[in-house]
Amino acid sequence: MEDLLNNNENLYNSLEFLSDIGVPYILIDSNDCIKAVTSAAVEMFTNVYMDKNINAISSKFDDILWFIKKNFLLFKNSTEDSCAFQKIVKINNIKWKFNCNFIRTEPDLILIINYHLEKDEYIKKALLLTAIEESSENAIIGQDVDGTIVSWNTAAEKIYGYAPNEIIGKNLSILDSDKSGENIKNLLNNIKSGEEVKNYEVKRLCKNGEEVFLSSNVAPLKNYKGEVIGSCTISRDITETKKLTEKLYVSEKMFRNIYEQSPIGIELFDANGDVISANKSFCEMFKINSISDFKYDNFFDSPYIPEKTKNKIKNRQTSRITRRYTLKSNNSSLGIKDSSYYFDMLMTPIFNENGDTTSILTQIQDITRVKTVEKMVYNFTNLSDDIFCILDLKWNFLNVSNGVESVLGWKMSEFIHKNIVNFLHVDDFDSTFNAINLLLKTGRITYRNRYICKSGKYKWIEWSSFVIDEDKVIYCIGRDITERMEREEELRKAKIAAEEASLAKSRFLANMSHEIRTPINGIMGMTELALMTDLTEEQSEYLNVVKTSSQHLLDIINDVLDIAKIESGKFKLDLTPFYLEETINTLVNNFSILSKKKYLEFISFVDPSLTKDCLIGDPLKLNQILMNLLTNALKFTERGSIIFCAKRVSCSEGKVNVQFSVSDTGIGIPADKMDRLFKNFSQVDDSYTKKYGGTGLGLAICKHLVSMMNGNIWVTSKEDQGSCFYFTVEFSLVNKNQYISNDNDLDVPTITYPDPIDTKESIYNKTVLVADDNEINQRFICTLLEKKGYRYLSAYNGSDAIKLFSENEVDFILMDIQMPKLNGLNATKIIRDRESKTGKHTPIIAMTAYAMTGDKEKFLSSGMDDYIAKPINFQSLYDLIDKYLS
Ligand code: ADP
């Protein structure tokens, strides 16, 4: 072989030949670089490449040829043509025995190496190679430069699902997840250029169509010339890791989002306290663009964090604090001072699995608004003199304001957690507990009670309380009303005194009226009688003046008494069925005559729809109103006309609303004096030189009467042009046929319709008993009876009346109420008692100067049948006798 190689001409041909027959050798040039290498040598050493400098081989770990380095240098520097040596090298537990020959072929050297493995070592090598490939968890795939798969290990089968016989001979692109195979082509191109691709992550396609993630290394395989003849791919299945990583990524992203978007300011420090990061909210809170703008970047150096907190963190504890910061601000809402902010800060050390602090988490909330509102509420409740308190549902004070101190003298701490019974006046227990129970039902209530002061005195407190269900507490605001209560008590006493005085006044007026009426009664009665006698014209004229003056005096007394009754609340309506037409007709007739006397035109219009109905109302009081208005119209009109009008305004549900008006063309009322009307004792002309008389009470009485009848009264007037007084009243409608009389029904007395047969003749021989202590009255009534042809008996007190009643056949009794010895009411009762044995019933008529409300009931309940007002009008007396005796 040496000869062969020494022949330079044939050297390279010979080398070609040696290579072909599998002899491993290396050709080293004069520069000590590998010039050529056979594939057998490459196979043996795998990493023997051309152009490698033998001197550059430094360590046996770098290069397998290290063991020839020494021998090479020896041989190179020798003059020998050849040299043989042997080396035994242990690689991966296999003992290799190398037989080496250097041959000098100027200018190059040839190293021929062969190896010999002992049987055991051979087996070991075989086993090692197979084991490496087969036992590997990694897919080991061998492919040629075009990508045709030539080797496929068990792990590859496991990962891809292809058995070796299914895949060997196929192209690698079959595994490309990108169906075009572009990725693999690119990879193979890189490999072709001799590049090794390390740790690249790639998605590959399995037999079942699923995709796997692999971490791969691809190393080119070269022949002895260093030409790439294929490559080896070693891949690790990282699908699970990848999924995990993806999950981690998603989770990390989520938490980062939360961190960034959280309205809570978050700042993170490492274990040494150096700031790591801060989120957006944190930067906004502290008015910085990023955490790097923050002046204090170490937790433990920050002057804003109290030492106590720092120590707590050092001791691995959590700390929560509220701090006030002064920062630049453009927010001045809520009256917040431009630069004052309150932050609630929670600082927590974070530990790793070994329990070591790895970081410090600071969470911050801007509570400026809460703090400001808190302060406002505190000021509002504590600077007020009212007591603000919160009670639980068992009436214990949970919180109270400063008011308890200013009002009651107690310290707030003396109130809190105490029950209200400790402070409440015993007499107010029941009312307070009832109020609170009601409060729980209604949600809101106002009540008063007495609370004891620290001094021992009691104060009246007025409470406004409310409950809010979800809070399960009672909110109360209490105000000291002691002074008000004292004033109210004084007022109450004054009111009682005034009422008593008013009552006394009414009583006085009633008595006075009785006392005045009695002599007027006499004057009028006697005048009436005198006018029935033969008189000269002059005498008759004088007596008529007496009669008119008496009537006028009586009217004034009636007005004064009406006002007294109104003021004492004793003025009541006397409801009775009546025909409006009848009431109006009499009135209109009288006023037509009176108007004529003054040369005034009197026009009346009555809505025809009003004339048919029977109404329930007080015709006497209606008459009183109309009389007053018509009298005024007549009084204040010198020429022109008076128009009376009555019309139905509305009618529904058994009620009829009637509007009356009286208009005149008289003196009118100046606009600035209108407000004087309808007031007691008020006249438009109140001068000493006034032309028209009157008391100024009429319209005030009318106003009261109208409002009692659910109506209104008003006036329109123009000075020197005239006035028009309007009023409305409400009546109930009653059907005449349906109306059933009931003697016991005092409010709705019997209506009697005129008897068509004249029975007067038959009653003239009846005996009337007159009981009256006033001699003039007695004489007047008896004369009236005598004039009509009645027999009469007279008594001056109740006892005499009973005596006469027992001794005579009496058909009719006129009984005065106030009489000496036995009054009219008791006398009536005795008579009725006696009659109860005989079954007889003699009509007894009460005679009274002026009936007060309730008097009529009193008369009727004592057994009387009716009453007649004094001064007695002779026609009324005759009508009454007719009614009971016919
Ligand atoms: P009196 O007529 O007794 O003074 P009234 O209460 O009836 O009391 O009237 C009060 C006042 O109202 C009268 O004094 C008069 O000044 C004014 N007044 C009432 N009716 C008329 C009217 N028709 N025309 C002008 N003035 C009137």
Side-chain angles (χ1 to χ4, degrees), residues 559 628-629 632-637 664 666-669 677-679 682-685 693-700 717 722-723 725:
D559 275 359
N628 194 80
L629 299 185
N632 281 349
L634 204 61
K635 184 160 72 173
F636 296 108
T637 309
D664 61 56
I667 59 167
I669 302 156
L677 303 180
F678 309 111
K679 289 180 182 161
S682 175
Q683 290 180 308
V684 171
D685 182 2
T695 54
L697 285 173
L699 290 178
S717 182
S723 315
F725 284 81

PDB file of all heavy atoms in Angstrom, residues 559 628-629 632-637 664 666-669 677-679 682-685 693-700 717 722-723 725, ligand 1:
ATOM      1  N   ASP A 559    -129.260  90.118  65.283  1.00  0.00           N
ATOM      2  CA  ASP A 559    -127.943  90.074  64.616  1.00  0.00           C
ATOM      3  C   ASP A 559    -126.824  89.860  65.625  1.00  0.00           C
ATOM      4  O   ASP A 559    -125.944  89.014  65.438  1.00  0.00           O
ATOM      5  CB  ASP A 559    -127.692  91.381  63.853  1.00  0.00           C
ATOM      6  CG  ASP A 559    -128.307  91.343  62.461  1.00  0.00           C
ATOM      7  OD1 ASP A 559    -128.889  90.300  62.131  1.00  0.00           O
ATOM      8  OD2 ASP A 559    -128.189  92.345  61.729  1.00  0.00           O
ATOM      9  N   ASN A 628    -131.274  89.963  54.205  1.00  0.00           N
ATOM     10  CA  ASN A 628    -130.174  90.893  54.446  1.00  0.00           C
ATOM     11  C   ASN A 628    -129.720  91.560  53.151  1.00  0.00           C
ATOM     12  O   ASN A 628    -129.554  92.782  53.088  1.00  0.00           O
ATOM     13  CB  ASN A 628    -129.017  90.128  55.086  1.00  0.00           C
ATOM     14  CG  ASN A 628    -128.014  91.095  55.661  1.00  0.00           C
ATOM     15  OD1 ASN A 628    -128.204  91.636  56.746  1.00  0.00           O
ATOM     16  ND2 ASN A 628    -126.970  91.371  54.889  1.00  0.00           N
ATOM     17  N   LEU A 629    -129.577  90.721  52.084  1.00  0.00           N
ATOM     18  CA  LEU A 629    -129.094  91.280  50.814  1.00  0.00           C
ATOM     19  C   LEU A 629    -130.125  92.218  50.204  1.00  0.00           C
ATOM     20  O   LEU A 629    -129.787  93.295  49.694  1.00  0.00           O
ATOM     21  CB  LEU A 629    -128.742  90.147  49.837  1.00  0.00           C
ATOM     22  CG  LEU A 629    -127.646  89.179  50.279  1.00  0.00           C
ATOM     23  CD1 LEU A 629    -127.324  88.189  49.157  1.00  0.00           C
ATOM     24  CD2 LEU A 629    -126.369  89.957  50.634  1.00  0.00           C
ATOM     25  N   ASN A 632    -130.343  95.456  52.158  1.00  0.00           N
ATOM     26  CA  ASN A 632    -129.204  96.328  51.801  1.00  0.00           C
ATOM     27  C   ASN A 632    -129.422  96.993  50.454  1.00  0.00           C
ATOM     28  O   ASN A 632    -129.172  98.187  50.280  1.00  0.00           O
ATOM     29  CB  ASN A 632    -127.900  95.537  51.767  1.00  0.00           C
ATOM     30  CG  ASN A 632    -127.340  95.303  53.156  1.00  0.00           C
ATOM     31  OD1 ASN A 632    -127.825  95.903  54.113  1.00  0.00           O
ATOM     32  ND2 ASN A 632    -126.342  94.451  53.286  1.00  0.00           N
ATOM     33  N   ALA A 633    -129.875  96.176  49.456  1.00  0.00           N
ATOM     34  CA  ALA A 633    -130.083  96.706  48.106  1.00  0.00           C
ATOM     35  C   ALA A 633    -131.076  97.862  48.167  1.00  0.00           C
ATOM     36  O   ALA A 633    -130.865  98.924  47.555  1.00  0.00           O
ATOM     37  CB  ALA A 633    -130.579  95.600  47.184  1.00  0.00           C
ATOM     38  N   LEU A 634    -132.121  97.634  48.929  1.00  0.00           N
ATOM     39  CA  LEU A 634    -133.157  98.654  49.065  1.00  0.00           C
ATOM     40  C   LEU A 634    -132.614  99.885  49.790  1.00  0.00           C
ATOM     41  O   LEU A 634    -132.864 101.017  49.400  1.00  0.00           O
ATOM     42  CB  LEU A 634    -134.308  98.034  49.889  1.00  0.00           C
ATOM     43  CG  LEU A 634    -135.686  98.636  49.699  1.00  0.00           C
ATOM     44  CD1 LEU A 634    -136.158  98.488  48.254  1.00  0.00           C
ATOM     45  CD2 LEU A 634    -136.676  97.912  50.633  1.00  0.00           C
ATOM     46  N   LYS A 635    -131.815  99.592  50.828  1.00  0.00           N
ATOM     47  CA  LYS A 635    -131.283 100.666  51.656  1.00  0.00           C
ATOM     48  C   LYS A 635    -130.329 101.564  50.859  1.00  0.00           C
ATOM     49  O   LYS A 635    -130.368 102.780  50.976  1.00  0.00           O
ATOM     50  CB  LYS A 635    -130.557 100.050  52.855  1.00  0.00           C
ATOM     51  CG  LYS A 635    -130.043 101.078  53.862  1.00  0.00           C
ATOM     52  CD  LYS A 635    -129.775 100.481  55.234  1.00  0.00           C
ATOM     53  CE  LYS A 635    -128.573  99.585  55.297  1.00  0.00           C
ATOM     54  NZ  LYS A 635    -128.219  99.151  56.641  1.00  0.00           N
ATOM     55  N   PHE A 636    -129.452 100.918  50.043  1.00  0.00           N
ATOM     56  CA  PHE A 636    -128.394 101.678  49.379  1.00  0.00           C
ATOM     57  C   PHE A 636    -128.741 102.111  47.948  1.00  0.00           C
ATOM     58  O   PHE A 636    -127.857 102.519  47.208  1.00  0.00           O
ATOM     59  CB  PHE A 636    -127.086 100.880  49.385  1.00  0.00           C
ATOM     60  CG  PHE A 636    -126.554 100.644  50.774  1.00  0.00           C
ATOM     61  CD1 PHE A 636    -126.610  99.389  51.365  1.00  0.00           C
ATOM     62  CD2 PHE A 636    -126.028 101.698  51.512  1.00  0.00           C
ATOM     63  CE1 PHE A 636    -126.132  99.176  52.646  1.00  0.00           C
ATOM     64  CE2 PHE A 636    -125.559 101.500  52.794  1.00  0.00           C
ATOM     65  CZ  PHE A 636    -125.612 100.231  53.361  1.00  0.00           C
ATOM     66  N   THR A 637    -130.035 101.941  47.546  1.00  0.00           N
ATOM     67  CA  THR A 637    -130.420 102.344  46.186  1.00  0.00           C
ATOM     68  C   THR A 637    -131.487 103.440  46.272  1.00  0.00           C
ATOM     69  O   THR A 637    -132.520 103.236  46.916  1.00  0.00           O
ATOM     70  CB  THR A 637    -130.957 101.126  45.399  1.00  0.00           C
ATOM     71  OG1 THR A 637    -129.998 100.086  45.518  1.00  0.00           O
ATOM     72  CG2 THR A 637    -131.175 101.430  43.931  1.00  0.00           C
ATOM     73  N   ASP A 664    -128.310  95.773  42.357  1.00  0.00           N
ATOM     74  CA  ASP A 664    -129.014  97.053  42.490  1.00  0.00           C
ATOM     75  C   ASP A 664    -128.272  98.109  41.691  1.00  0.00           C
ATOM     76  O   ASP A 664    -127.176  97.872  41.179  1.00  0.00           O
ATOM     77  CB  ASP A 664    -129.114  97.441  43.978  1.00  0.00           C
ATOM     78  CG  ASP A 664    -127.760  97.611  44.621  1.00  0.00           C
ATOM     79  OD1 ASP A 664    -126.961  98.422  44.118  1.00  0.00           O
ATOM     80  OD2 ASP A 664    -127.463  96.907  45.621  1.00  0.00           O
ATOM     81  N   GLY A 666    -127.550 101.073  43.013  1.00  0.00           N
ATOM     82  CA  GLY A 666    -127.366 102.003  44.125  1.00  0.00           C
ATOM     83  C   GLY A 666    -125.996 102.658  44.165  1.00  0.00           C
ATOM     84  O   GLY A 666    -125.328 102.815  43.131  1.00  0.00           O
ATOM     85  N   ILE A 667    -125.574 102.943  45.388  1.00  0.00           N
ATOM     86  CA  ILE A 667    -124.357 103.759  45.554  1.00  0.00           C
ATOM     87  C   ILE A 667    -123.068 102.992  45.215  1.00  0.00           C
ATOM     88  O   ILE A 667    -122.015 103.577  44.991  1.00  0.00           O
ATOM     89  CB  ILE A 667    -124.248 104.318  46.995  1.00  0.00           C
ATOM     90  CG1 ILE A 667    -124.215 103.180  48.024  1.00  0.00           C
ATOM     91  CG2 ILE A 667    -125.371 105.293  47.306  1.00  0.00           C
ATOM     92  CD1 ILE A 667    -123.795 103.636  49.417  1.00  0.00           C
ATOM     93  N   GLY A 668    -123.167 101.684  45.190  1.00  0.00           N
ATOM     94  CA  GLY A 668    -121.977 100.870  44.873  1.00  0.00           C
ATOM     95  C   GLY A 668    -120.937 100.917  45.987  1.00  0.00           C
ATOM     96  O   GLY A 668    -121.132 101.608  47.004  1.00  0.00           O
ATOM     97  N   ILE A 669    -119.859 100.190  45.783  1.00  0.00           N
ATOM     98  CA  ILE A 669    -118.816 100.115  46.825  1.00  0.00           C
ATOM     99  C   ILE A 669    -117.476 100.452  46.172  1.00  0.00           C
ATOM    100  O   ILE A 669    -117.117  99.871  45.146  1.00  0.00           O
ATOM    101  CB  ILE A 669    -118.760  98.699  47.441  1.00  0.00           C
ATOM    102  CG1 ILE A 669    -120.140  98.332  48.024  1.00  0.00           C
ATOM    103  CG2 ILE A 669    -117.687  98.590  48.521  1.00  0.00           C
ATOM    104  CD1 ILE A 669    -120.392  96.864  48.134  1.00  0.00           C
ATOM    105  N   LEU A 677    -115.994  94.276  53.461  1.00  0.00           N
ATOM    106  CA  LEU A 677    -117.249  93.524  53.477  1.00  0.00           C
ATOM    107  C   LEU A 677    -117.059  92.157  54.140  1.00  0.00           C
ATOM    108  O   LEU A 677    -115.950  91.651  54.226  1.00  0.00           O
ATOM    109  CB  LEU A 677    -117.768  93.328  52.049  1.00  0.00           C
ATOM    110  CG  LEU A 677    -117.998  94.628  51.256  1.00  0.00           C
ATOM    111  CD1 LEU A 677    -118.506  94.303  49.871  1.00  0.00           C
ATOM    112  CD2 LEU A 677    -119.001  95.536  51.970  1.00  0.00           C
ATOM    113  N   PHE A 678    -118.127  91.589  54.578  1.00  0.00           N
ATOM    114  CA  PHE A 678    -118.181  90.235  55.172  1.00  0.00           C
ATOM    115  C   PHE A 678    -117.394  90.126  56.474  1.00  0.00           C
ATOM    116  O   PHE A 678    -117.049  89.047  56.907  1.00  0.00           O
ATOM    117  CB  PHE A 678    -117.690  89.161  54.181  1.00  0.00           C
ATOM    118  CG  PHE A 678    -118.362  89.254  52.842  1.00  0.00           C
ATOM    119  CD1 PHE A 678    -117.670  89.647  51.710  1.00  0.00           C
ATOM    120  CD2 PHE A 678    -119.717  88.961  52.706  1.00  0.00           C
ATOM    121  CE1 PHE A 678    -118.289  89.740  50.469  1.00  0.00           C
ATOM    122  CE2 PHE A 678    -120.342  89.053  51.470  1.00  0.00           C
ATOM    123  CZ  PHE A 678    -119.633  89.442  50.349  1.00  0.00           C
ATOM    124  N   LYS A 679    -117.044  91.266  57.082  1.00  0.00           N
ATOM    125  CA  LYS A 679    -116.339  91.230  58.363  1.00  0.00           C
ATOM    126  C   LYS A 679    -117.271  91.795  59.438  1.00  0.00           C
ATOM    127  O   LYS A 679    -118.042  92.726  59.165  1.00  0.00           O
ATOM    128  CB  LYS A 679    -115.059  92.068  58.303  1.00  0.00           C
ATOM    129  CG  LYS A 679    -113.996  91.424  57.445  1.00  0.00           C
ATOM    130  CD  LYS A 679    -112.775  92.272  57.407  1.00  0.00           C
ATOM    131  CE  LYS A 679    -111.732  91.632  56.497  1.00  0.00           C
ATOM    132  NZ  LYS A 679    -110.744  92.591  56.085  1.00  0.00           N
ATOM    133  N   SER A 682    -118.347  95.729  60.266  1.00  0.00           N
ATOM    134  CA  SER A 682    -117.587  96.485  59.277  1.00  0.00           C
ATOM    135  C   SER A 682    -118.532  97.119  58.267  1.00  0.00           C
ATOM    136  O   SER A 682    -119.357  96.437  57.651  1.00  0.00           O
ATOM    137  CB  SER A 682    -116.590  95.543  58.597  1.00  0.00           C
ATOM    138  OG  SER A 682    -115.948  96.237  57.582  1.00  0.00           O
ATOM    139  N   GLN A 683    -118.369  98.408  58.113  1.00  0.00           N
ATOM    140  CA  GLN A 683    -119.195  99.129  57.133  1.00  0.00           C
ATOM    141  C   GLN A 683    -118.282  99.909  56.202  1.00  0.00           C
ATOM    142  O   GLN A 683    -117.181 100.329  56.592  1.00  0.00           O
ATOM    143  CB  GLN A 683    -120.129 100.106  57.863  1.00  0.00           C
ATOM    144  CG  GLN A 683    -121.213  99.349  58.631  1.00  0.00           C
ATOM    145  CD  GLN A 683    -122.143 100.287  59.367  1.00  0.00           C
ATOM    146  OE1 GLN A 683    -121.689 101.140  60.111  1.00  0.00           O
ATOM    147  NE2 GLN A 683    -123.431 100.123  59.154  1.00  0.00           N
ATOM    148  N   VAL A 684    -118.764 100.117  54.967  1.00  0.00           N
ATOM    149  CA  VAL A 684    -117.942 100.844  54.000  1.00  0.00           C
ATOM    150  C   VAL A 684    -117.785 102.291  54.467  1.00  0.00           C
ATOM    151  O   VAL A 684    -116.702 102.843  54.484  1.00  0.00           O
ATOM    152  CB  VAL A 684    -118.579 100.762  52.591  1.00  0.00           C
ATOM    153  CG1 VAL A 684    -117.864 101.687  51.617  1.00  0.00           C
ATOM    154  CG2 VAL A 684    -118.545  99.318  52.100  1.00  0.00           C
ATOM    155  N   ASP A 685    -118.856 102.827  54.910  1.00  0.00           N
ATOM    156  CA  ASP A 685    -118.809 104.207  55.407  1.00  0.00           C
ATOM    157  C   ASP A 685    -118.847 104.158  56.936  1.00  0.00           C
ATOM    158  O   ASP A 685    -119.897 103.876  57.522  1.00  0.00           O
ATOM    159  CB  ASP A 685    -120.014 104.986  54.862  1.00  0.00           C
ATOM    160  CG  ASP A 685    -119.985 106.442  55.317  1.00  0.00           C
ATOM    161  OD1 ASP A 685    -119.017 106.823  56.012  1.00  0.00           O
ATOM    162  OD2 ASP A 685    -120.933 107.174  54.970  1.00  0.00           O
ATOM    163  N   GLY A 693    -127.788 103.739  58.265  1.00  0.00           N
ATOM    164  CA  GLY A 693    -127.629 103.058  59.561  1.00  0.00           C
ATOM    165  C   GLY A 693    -127.208 101.622  59.372  1.00  0.00           C
ATOM    166  O   GLY A 693    -126.879 101.184  58.267  1.00  0.00           O
ATOM    167  N   GLY A 694    -127.192 100.886  60.458  1.00  0.00           N
ATOM    168  CA  GLY A 694    -126.851  99.451  60.367  1.00  0.00           C
ATOM    169  C   GLY A 694    -125.742  99.113  61.335  1.00  0.00           C
ATOM    170  O   GLY A 694    -125.075  99.995  61.888  1.00  0.00           O
ATOM    171  N   THR A 695    -125.576  97.805  61.562  1.00  0.00           N
ATOM    172  CA  THR A 695    -124.575  97.348  62.534  1.00  0.00           C
ATOM    173  C   THR A 695    -123.301  96.865  61.863  1.00  0.00           C
ATOM    174  O   THR A 695    -122.273  96.677  62.505  1.00  0.00           O
ATOM    175  CB  THR A 695    -125.138  96.178  63.355  1.00  0.00           C
ATOM    176  OG1 THR A 695    -125.589  95.191  62.426  1.00  0.00           O
ATOM    177  CG2 THR A 695    -126.259  96.612  64.256  1.00  0.00           C
ATOM    178  N   GLY A 696    -123.386  96.600  60.575  1.00  0.00           N
ATOM    179  CA  GLY A 696    -122.211  96.021  59.885  1.00  0.00           C
ATOM    180  C   GLY A 696    -122.022  94.559  60.242  1.00  0.00           C
ATOM    181  O   GLY A 696    -120.924  94.014  60.146  1.00  0.00           O
ATOM    182  N   LEU A 697    -123.134  93.891  60.628  1.00  0.00           N
ATOM    183  CA  LEU A 697    -123.026  92.465  60.985  1.00  0.00           C
ATOM    184  C   LEU A 697    -123.675  91.562  59.944  1.00  0.00           C
ATOM    185  O   LEU A 697    -123.315  90.389  59.808  1.00  0.00           O
ATOM    186  CB  LEU A 697    -123.724  92.209  62.330  1.00  0.00           C
ATOM    187  CG  LEU A 697    -122.991  92.683  63.575  1.00  0.00           C
ATOM    188  CD1 LEU A 697    -123.869  92.514  64.786  1.00  0.00           C
ATOM    189  CD2 LEU A 697    -121.696  91.914  63.754  1.00  0.00           C
ATOM    190  N   GLY A 698    -124.618  92.143  59.185  1.00  0.00           N
ATOM    191  CA  GLY A 698    -125.429  91.326  58.279  1.00  0.00           C
ATOM    192  C   GLY A 698    -124.612  90.462  57.334  1.00  0.00           C
ATOM    193  O   GLY A 698    -124.808  89.251  57.268  1.00  0.00           O
ATOM    194  N   LEU A 699    -123.673  91.079  56.605  1.00  0.00           N
ATOM    195  CA  LEU A 699    -122.911  90.308  55.603  1.00  0.00           C
ATOM    196  C   LEU A 699    -122.017  89.263  56.272  1.00  0.00           C
ATOM    197  O   LEU A 699    -121.801  88.185  55.716  1.00  0.00           O
ATOM    198  CB  LEU A 699    -122.070  91.241  54.728  1.00  0.00           C
ATOM    199  CG  LEU A 699    -122.872  92.121  53.755  1.00  0.00           C
ATOM    200  CD1 LEU A 699    -121.936  93.030  52.971  1.00  0.00           C
ATOM    201  CD2 LEU A 699    -123.687  91.265  52.791  1.00  0.00           C
ATOM    202  N   ALA A 700    -121.486  89.614  57.463  1.00  0.00           N
ATOM    203  CA  ALA A 700    -120.644  88.634  58.168  1.00  0.00           C
ATOM    204  C   ALA A 700    -121.474  87.395  58.520  1.00  0.00           C
ATOM    205  O   ALA A 700    -121.015  86.253  58.368  1.00  0.00           O
ATOM    206  CB  ALA A 700    -120.058  89.269  59.424  1.00  0.00           C
ATOM    207  N   SER A 717    -118.994  95.176  42.243  1.00  0.00           N
ATOM    208  CA  SER A 717    -119.622  96.488  42.476  1.00  0.00           C
ATOM    209  C   SER A 717    -118.814  97.591  41.816  1.00  0.00           C
ATOM    210  O   SER A 717    -117.612  97.454  41.613  1.00  0.00           O
ATOM    211  CB  SER A 717    -119.698  96.726  43.986  1.00  0.00           C
ATOM    212  OG  SER A 717    -120.331  97.951  44.233  1.00  0.00           O
ATOM    213  N   GLY A 722    -123.709 100.710  41.161  1.00  0.00           N
ATOM    214  CA  GLY A 722    -124.493  99.623  41.759  1.00  0.00           C
ATOM    215  C   GLY A 722    -123.642  98.430  42.147  1.00  0.00           C
ATOM    216  O   GLY A 722    -122.435  98.397  41.883  1.00  0.00           O
ATOM    217  N   SER A 723    -124.304  97.479  42.826  1.00  0.00           N
ATOM    218  CA  SER A 723    -123.588  96.287  43.305  1.00  0.00           C
ATOM    219  C   SER A 723    -124.401  95.050  42.945  1.00  0.00           C
ATOM    220  O   SER A 723    -125.615  95.125  42.741  1.00  0.00           O
ATOM    221  CB  SER A 723    -123.441  96.299  44.830  1.00  0.00           C
ATOM    222  OG  SER A 723    -123.047  97.567  45.269  1.00  0.00           O
ATOM    223  N   PHE A 725    -124.617  91.212  44.628  1.00  0.00           N
ATOM    224  CA  PHE A 725    -124.178  90.193  45.593  1.00  0.00           C
ATOM    225  C   PHE A 725    -124.642  88.835  45.101  1.00  0.00           C
ATOM    226  O   PHE A 725    -125.799  88.662  44.735  1.00  0.00           O
ATOM    227  CB  PHE A 725    -124.773  90.474  46.983  1.00  0.00           C
ATOM    228  CG  PHE A 725    -124.082  91.605  47.681  1.00  0.00           C
ATOM    229  CD1 PHE A 725    -124.391  92.927  47.391  1.00  0.00           C
ATOM    230  CD2 PHE A 725    -123.105  91.348  48.627  1.00  0.00           C
ATOM    231  CE1 PHE A 725    -123.743  93.969  48.029  1.00  0.00           C
ATOM    232  CE2 PHE A 725    -122.437  92.387  49.265  1.00  0.00           C
ATOM    233  CZ  PHE A 725    -122.749  93.704  48.967  1.00  0.00           C
TER     234      PHE A 725
HETATM  235  P1  ADP B   1    -125.252  96.899  57.663  1.00  0.00           P
HETATM  236  O1  ADP B   1    -125.976  96.974  56.401  1.00  0.00           O
HETATM  237  O2  ADP B   1    -126.054  96.553  58.839  1.00  0.00           O
HETATM  238  O3  ADP B   1    -124.276  98.004  57.876  1.00  0.00           O
HETATM  239  P2  ADP B   1    -124.034  94.698  56.339  1.00  0.00           P
HETATM  240  O4  ADP B   1    -123.012  93.701  56.844  1.00  0.00           O
HETATM  241  O5  ADP B   1    -125.223  94.114  55.768  1.00  0.00           O
HETATM  242  O6  ADP B   1    -124.294  95.627  57.557  1.00  0.00           O
HETATM  243  O7  ADP B   1    -123.282  95.581  55.302  1.00  0.00           O
HETATM  244  C1  ADP B   1    -122.024  96.054  55.573  1.00  0.00           C
HETATM  245  C2  ADP B   1    -121.723  97.242  54.705  1.00  0.00           C
HETATM  246  O8  ADP B   1    -121.588  96.844  53.356  1.00  0.00           O
HETATM  247  C3  ADP B   1    -122.789  98.284  54.671  1.00  0.00           C
HETATM  248  O9  ADP B   1    -122.725  99.155  55.756  1.00  0.00           O
HETATM  249  C4  ADP B   1    -122.492  98.979  53.372  1.00  0.00           C
HETATM  250  O10 ADP B   1    -121.462  99.892  53.579  1.00  0.00           O
HETATM  251  C5  ADP B   1    -121.983  97.860  52.479  1.00  0.00           C
HETATM  252  N1  ADP B   1    -123.092  97.354  51.620  1.00  0.00           N
HETATM  253  C6  ADP B   1    -123.802  96.224  51.791  1.00  0.00           C
HETATM  254  N2  ADP B   1    -124.683  96.038  50.802  1.00  0.00           N
HETATM  255  C7  ADP B   1    -124.501  97.094  49.958  1.00  0.00           C
HETATM  256  C8  ADP B   1    -125.135  97.493  48.729  1.00  0.00           C
HETATM  257  N3  ADP B   1    -126.099  96.787  48.148  1.00  0.00           N
HETATM  258  N4  ADP B   1    -124.726  98.662  48.136  1.00  0.00           N
HETATM  259  C9  ADP B   1    -123.744  99.385  48.696  1.00  0.00           C
HETATM  260  N5  ADP B   1    -123.115  99.062  49.856  1.00  0.00           N
HETATM  261  C10 ADP B   1    -123.494  97.921  50.489  1.00  0.00           C
END
